[in-house]
Amino acid sequence: MSGMAVHVKDISVRFGDFLALDGLSLDIPVNAFVAIVGPNGAGKSTFLKVLLGLVEPTMGEVTLFGFDPLKVNPDQVGYVPQMKTMDRSFPALAIELVYTGINRKWPWQMQENHRDKAMEALKKVGAGHLADRPLGRLSGGELQRICLARSIVREPKLVMLDEPATGIDSVGEEDMYRMLEKFQRESNATLLMITHDWHTATHHADYVLLLNRRQISFGVPSEALAEDNLRRAFGHMGHEHELKFLVKS
């Protein structure tokens, strides 16, 4: 569809007897910042895997920029996994990790033009000074910047992030969101980000997809995160003050 980065129509995903996603339909415009919110086990990561072509829907239709996820140019899509999947003890430098985003393999010997490209990506996320630092000496926020640099080194049009704030303190978290917004402004990329933080979704995202296996809501944060929708997604809410804060924001 013209002007749409992601088109999803009636997709469901079943793993054996388990229904992970049930009947999602939405269109995400280009250059949008979308927060994907829901409880644990809601199907958020499964949804990203469908868009990445790693999981095939049991039924329904999915396209990225008008193409099947498996046929879209891989240079157009970047992905930042959860940090808990990273082995920070691996003896590697930050720039070497970024370099793997270019050739999809470990750089036993770096080509000069590729090293320049990796350095440019690091500078875009404010991490140029970390290029030659070992992964094991990076803070959580610094490592997240390196992972983002790796995902954007090919200048993708769509970047997906799976809970990027995990393991980062509150100061580093806010710094990361400012960095993401700056990157989006400069690149015109579409960002999809899984988060458990309603405050983040309210203040940083253009749109929110609220999930609990089914699509509870999709729209601007003030509407998608309305109290009734949150109750449908999360069930009984034990923290009334959080709901009131969110509705008033």
Side-chain angles (χ1 to χ4, degrees), residues 190-217:
T190 303
L191 302 184
L192 275 62
M193 179 183 71
I194 292 176
T195 179
H196 287 284
D197 189 337
W198 303 340
H199 178 84
T200 294
T202 301
H203 293 282
H204 294 283
D206 301 314
Y207 301 95
V208 172
L209 170 61
L210 184 60
L211 278 181
N212 193 349
R213 300 189 191 175
R214 295 176 179 269
Q215 179 175 321
I216 305 300
S217 57

Side-chain angles (χ1 to χ4, degrees), residues 13-118:
V13 174
R14 183 180 292 276
F15 300 112
D17 294 332
F18 177 70
L19 187 60
L21 291 174
D22 184 14
L24 272 63
S25 292
L26 63 147
D27 289 310
I28 298 174
V30 296
N31 197 29
F33 192 156
V34 179
I36 303 171
V37 180
N40 291 332
K44 302 183 297 295
S45 293
T46 298
F47 179 57
L48 288 195
K49 290 177 181 177
V50 169
L51 300 184
L52 289 164
L54 301 176
V55 170
E56 184 177 356
T58 307
M59 62 178 295
E61 173 186 334
V62 181
T63 59
L64 306 182
F65 307 108
F67 294 92
D68 180 282
L70 291 176
K71 296 180 180 179
V72 71
N73 183 342
D75 289 356
Q76 293 187 343
V77 180
Y79 174 58
V80 181
Q82 292 186 32
M83 282 211 310
K84 65 184 180 182
T85 65
M86 297 274 306
D87 181 4
R88 295 173 65 174
S89 66
F90 189 74
L93 303 179
I95 194 168
E96 292 174 330
L97 182 61
V98 177
Y99 189 99
T100 65
I102 300 175
N103 288 335
R104 318 295 189 192
K105 60 183 180 181
W106 195 254
W108 301 112
Q109 184 175 359
M110 286 193 192
Q111 298 178 31
E112 190 63 30
N113 62 323
H114 285 175
R115 181 183 175 88
D116 291 344
K117 196 168 186 178

